């Protein structure tokens, strides 16, 4: 059944059978969504007791601070200590943001443009060109931030151990290359954990730009759903040791620990960077939501307890990833035109289908009521040169719906691939 | 006792008596703060039941939306309807931000710089010069945002009915004048309510700049502490009628309704502006804290109930403002060197002391342990050309402390004024 060894006749026959199946699925008027790394309601139910963990006004006081009032721009000391515990850095290396770490990333880049970073010779808006490295497949929202500010996005291929570091080391010799987007643990979408060597090569980068910024989005730092917690290195300390303490900006949030969009976020970096940004952030706000910070610290307590909470999520997520992986293996595997990963954490499965067919396959999906992340989204400017990569986000639909959605998806993948072979 | 009619001898005698009093106060090692419009703990206690008004996960659903999950970038429909009710505009004219309206103001100006507003011929960073009008005395954090982005700040005097509109109408003929900061109700710090005529002249402005922005910070829209609610005009509808629907950006928040820094904020403007900014804001965040939005809507319900809640605050605030007004009248009035307002809402009392003595008076205060908003803060660049205006923020200290702080403050005002007269 490997499509590469099938005759035209066999392909045509297979196509007709698949098309019948497709039309049958389409007639069900499905409305299913595997587009975004959105937790399902079942998962949110498991952590909804956070709503009642801070109801007594007498508990709003911590370290002599009234969390209900203005103040503590960088965050409550207990919240800074919480993130330091989770990330393995120091409390004074943290700044608590609002609900979204994405907003902190945006603000760092936005301020780099308007005012420059600590070691910038000038604001980035005064540079002739700003180039930014985008390991791909990667996260569309990252790429969009730098695109929004007019940077030239440069694709760096992903390998099994992280971004292609030979290429990164070569590219950073260009002083106009100002930074790189990274998701070091369970990378979005490939689910790769950067190897120790990759992390070490990052910390020891010697970019020509003195204000080169490693945007280290540790979004899935404690997000195992299969197996035990995988420890990760403290890149901040490593950059300090390597003599470039201000080179890395680490981000994390509780968006996929408690509630997406109603959690707390953190920027972690050198003390000098944190001081600089606390000053800049002081222009835009008096302080972030300390009630929510305190609520989260009361609920999550520390890293050890957070890992316990993450096991609850795993109990819901693991079966969903299992469905996707099983169906891909059964329905797509034998045809021999696609490859995918099988991650143990994070929120995505990255699939490479037959080059030139991803867009077509997802258009068919949409027509049948199954919404996926648009083809190309995982590459700079939303353009996958191979038209091959597809990001699958299994977290939102319940298992029963997921099976239906995957049935549609697998059928569409095959239809698009065989159509391509027939047209050649 | 009017110091303007006293002999040098009398002034010297008065100075010595006041100095003795000052030294006695100083020896008490006070630590009092009248620097910021920070509610007191007594006031926060009155609204702390908001902590327990959303504890049941089943109540997190509204209009078919799960408030715990990602989505609804512009805010929950119920939250948009809430602000439309409070501000007298339409729900589709609102965008819910994070905890701070200041951050929304910053983001509007920041995006005007990097990308331009709806009617901008180009981003403001590409303009030769950007000038911004700053009615003064005004709010230092407003001025700082435009200063941060390199605008030239132009002082416009405040009158009893709002900014000097003759001057505003003249200044906006300059196409480089891109906007103005306004606090239309209980202006910070003067406590003035803009007159109907002033508001109408604002709505009917014909600035040379097509992207002129009225930054309408309605921070104290429901913040009466003395007397009944004072209705205010819907500037958004008025600008629409006058043919410049995109000229005004209104802001408000619950920072002084529920918890400062843990409330919800809103940007209200034309539908076109809201659509434009929703698109821009989509680059920096997926959605703001909808749990907190829902919590607030459950707690505050609507405008009518919000006004009830504000009466609780008034019960705490009114006596504090009374203490300040009474002491100024008794201790400063007869000396004839200072004028101040007596507002019925808002968070401040603005005092003009003898020109050339504000800085000195506040330095004496600080030395005696009483922290005030720095002299000059109410003017662009923190420089009061008269060195006369002082903002008094009576909300934070309990009444007993406030009396002590005002004792120090009045003593220092008199010392600085008499010292000046003696040196002439």
């Amino acid at each position: 059944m490997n499509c590469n060894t099938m005759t035209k006749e066999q392909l045509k026959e297979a196509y007709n059978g698949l098309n019948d199946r497709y039309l049958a699925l389409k007639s069900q008027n499905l409305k299913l969504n595997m587009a975004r790394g959105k937790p399902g309601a079942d998962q949110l139910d498991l952590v909804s007791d956070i709503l009642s963990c801070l109801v007594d006004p007498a508990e709003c006081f911590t370290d002599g601070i009234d969390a209900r009032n203005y103040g503590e721009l960088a965050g409550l000391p207990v919240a800074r200590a919480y993130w330091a515990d989770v990330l393995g850095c120091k409390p004074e290396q943290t700044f608590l943001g609002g609900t979204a770490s994405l907003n902190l990333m945006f603000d760092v880049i936005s301020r780099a443009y308007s005012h420059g970073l600590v070691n910038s010779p000038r604001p980035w808006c005064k540079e002739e060109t700003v180039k930014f490295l985008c390991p791909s497949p990667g996260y569309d929202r990252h790429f969009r931030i730098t695109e929004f500010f007019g940077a030239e996005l440069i694709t760096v291929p992903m390998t099994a151990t992280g971004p292609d570091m030979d290429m990164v080391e070569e590219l950073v010799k260009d002083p106009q290359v100002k930074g790189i987007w990274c998701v070091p643990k369970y990378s979005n979408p490939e689910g790769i954990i950067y190897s120790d060597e990759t992390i070490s090569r990052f910390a020891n980068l010697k970019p020509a730009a003195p204000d080169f910024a490693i945007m280290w989005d540790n979004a899935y730092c404690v997000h195992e759903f299969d197996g035990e917690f995988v420890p990760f290195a403290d890149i901040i300390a490593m950059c300090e040791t390597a003599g470039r303490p201000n080179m890395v900006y680490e981000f994390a949030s509780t968006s996929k620990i408690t509630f997406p969009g109603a959690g707390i976020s953190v920027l972690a970096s050198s003390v000098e960077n944190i001081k600089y940004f606390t000053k800049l952030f002081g222009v835009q706000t008096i302080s972030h939501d300390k009630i929510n910070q305190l609520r989260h610290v009361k609920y999550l307590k520390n890293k050890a307890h957070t890992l316990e909470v993450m096991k609850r999520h795993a109990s819901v997520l693991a079966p969903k990833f299992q469905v996707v992986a099983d169906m891909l293996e059964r329905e797509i595997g034998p045809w021999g035109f696609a490859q995918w990963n099988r991650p143990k954490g994070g929120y995505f499965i990255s699939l490479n289908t037959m080059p030139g067919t991803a867009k077509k396959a997802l258009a068919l999906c949409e027509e049948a009521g199954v919404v996926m992340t648009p083809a190309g989204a995982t590459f700079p400017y939303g353009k996958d040169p191979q038209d091959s990569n597809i990001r699958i986000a299994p977290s939102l639909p319940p298992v029963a719906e997921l099976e239906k959605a995957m049935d549609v998806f697998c059928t569409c993948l095959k239809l698009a691939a065989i159509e391509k072979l027939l047209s050649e």
Side-chain angles (χ1 to χ4, degrees), chain A:
Chain A
M1 204 165 76
N2 186 313
C3 63
N4 303 300
T5 58
M6 284 162 80
T7 65
K8 279 250 160 167
E9 214 49 46
Q10 287 172 313
L11 286 171
K12 256 184 219 166
E13 198 182 324
Y15 184 86
N16 291 336
L18 286 163
N19 204 35
D20 290 344
R21 174 90 193 122
Y22 177 69
L23 293 173
L25 288 166
K26 201 175 150 184
S27 71
Q28 294 181 32
N29 295 314
L30 302 171
K31 268 198 176 177
L32 303 167
N33 196 312
M34 292 195 294
R36 285 283 161 193
K38 221 172 149 169
D42 43 356
Q43 213 178 317
L44 301 178
D45 287 342
L46 297 175
V47 289
S48 286
D49 44 336
I50 190 175
L51 289 169
S52 51
C53 87
L54 180 58
V55 296
D56 180 359
E59 290 184 17
C60 289
F61 296 81
T62 161
D63 295 301
I65 298 156
D66 186 346
R68 300 170 305 174
N69 220 331
Y70 286 126
E72 303 301 319
L73 176 55
L76 288 174
V78 289
R80 302 178 78 182
Y82 168 78
W83 279 116
D85 184 30
V86 170
L87 298 176
C89 64
K90 298 172 190 155
E92 62 270 27
Q93 291 173 330
T94 64
F95 178 98
L96 273 279
T99 53
S101 57
L102 191 74
N103 215 139
L104 283 170
M105 297 174 217
F106 179 93
D107 280 343
V108 166
I109 297 295
S110 175
R111 239 54 87 229
Y113 267 79
S114 62
H115 290 77
L117 300 174
V118 165
N119 299 323
S120 294
R122 63 195 72 83
W124 292 5
C125 68
K126 305 281 182 202
E127 299 281 353
E128 197 87 352
T129 333
V130 168
K131 298 177 191 169
F132 223 85
L133 307 185
C134 301
S136 302
Y139 183 32
D140 55 348
R141 292 187 190 271
H142 284 166
F143 301 164
R144 188 139 58 111
I145 288 172
T146 30
E147 186 185 354
F148 187 71
F149 287 101
E152 185 186 315
L153 309 185
I154 298 172
T155 301
V156 173
M158 283 293 286
T159 75
T161 55
D164 180 334
M165 291 309 293
D166 290 343
M167 191 168 166
V168 169
E169 284 163 355
E170 194 55 38
L171 285 166
V172 302
K173 291 176 183 166
D174 175 353
Q176 297 314 119
V177 171
K178 289 291 196 181
I180 185 167
W181 289 109
C182 294
V183 182
K185 200 173 162 185
Y186 304 121
S187 68
N188 178 350
E190 301 218 293
I192 282 166
I193 300 184
Y194 289 13
S195 69
D196 288 344
E197 193 206 325
T198 297
I199 297 176
S200 170
R201 285 173 79 175
F202 265 118
N204 288 283
L205 271 186
K206 302 273 176 270
D211 53 351
F212 184 87
I214 302 174
M215 299 292 280
W216 197 255
D217 183 4
N218 213 341
Y220 309 107
C221 51
V222 290
H223 297 61
E224 281 76 14
F225 57 74
D226 180 5
E228 290 306 303
F229 171 71
V230 179
F232 56 94
D234 173 16
I235 183 90
I236 300 169
M238 289 174 73
C239 284
E240 196 179 335
T241 305
R244 287 255 196 175
N246 299 331
M247 186 166 61
V248 70
Y249 299 82
E250 185 171 12
F251 304 89
S253 82
T254 62
S255 288
K256 276 134 193 165
I257 297 174
T258 59
F259 297 149
I264 57 171
S265 64
V266 70
L267 157 66
S269 191
S270 70
V271 170
E272 193 179 0
N273 279 346
I274 294 297
K275 277 189 184 159
Y276 178 74
F277 269 100
T278 303
K279 208 176 139 200
L280 293 193
F281 288 153
V283 179
Q284 75 199 65
T285 194
I286 300 171
S287 48
H288 287 290
D289 191 339
K290 294 189 298 298
I291 291 287
N292 210 26
Q293 288 173 23
L294 194 51
R295 185 182 287 120
H296 275 76
V297 172
K298 277 183 185 292
Y299 188 71
L300 297 172
K301 294 183 179 76
N302 49 36
K303 180 178 169 185
H305 188 69
T306 302
L307 291 173
E308 290 305 311
V309 171
M310 295 313 287
K311 286 199 173 151
R312 295 187 219 162
H313 289 307
S315 72
V316 171
L317 280 172
K320 293 184 178 183
F321 276 82
Q322 188 75 36
V323 165
V324 173
D326 286 355
M327 285 193 70
L328 288 175
E329 210 157 297
R330 196 175 68 228
E331 298 292 325
I332 302 298
W335 295 78
F337 64 82
Q339 302 77 42
W340 60 93
N341 62 336
R342 187 153 189 162
K344 289 172 173 290
Y347 267 70
F348 305 103
I349 286 175
S350 175
L351 176 138
N352 288 311
T353 188
M354 183 182 290
T357 69
K359 262 191 199 160
K360 174 67 195 221
L362 296 196
L364 287 169
C365 274
E366 198 173 347
E367 227 179 294
V370 175
V371 180
M372 308 281 298
T373 313
T378 52
F379 282 77
Y381 308 110
K383 284 176 192 155
D384 174 2
Q386 297 286 315
D387 185 26
S388 164
N389 187 252
I390 294 174
R391 185 180 82 160
I392 307 171
S395 55
L396 185 63
V399 165
E401 286 187 18
L402 200 57
E403 281 169 346
K404 260 191 198 163
M406 282 303 293
D407 193 355
V408 174
F409 177 67
C410 292
T411 305
C412 297
L413 276 187
K414 286 182 275 191
L415 271 178
I418 296 174
E419 194 181 75
K420 175 109 197 297
L421 288 173
L422 283 170
S423 72
E424 276 165 0

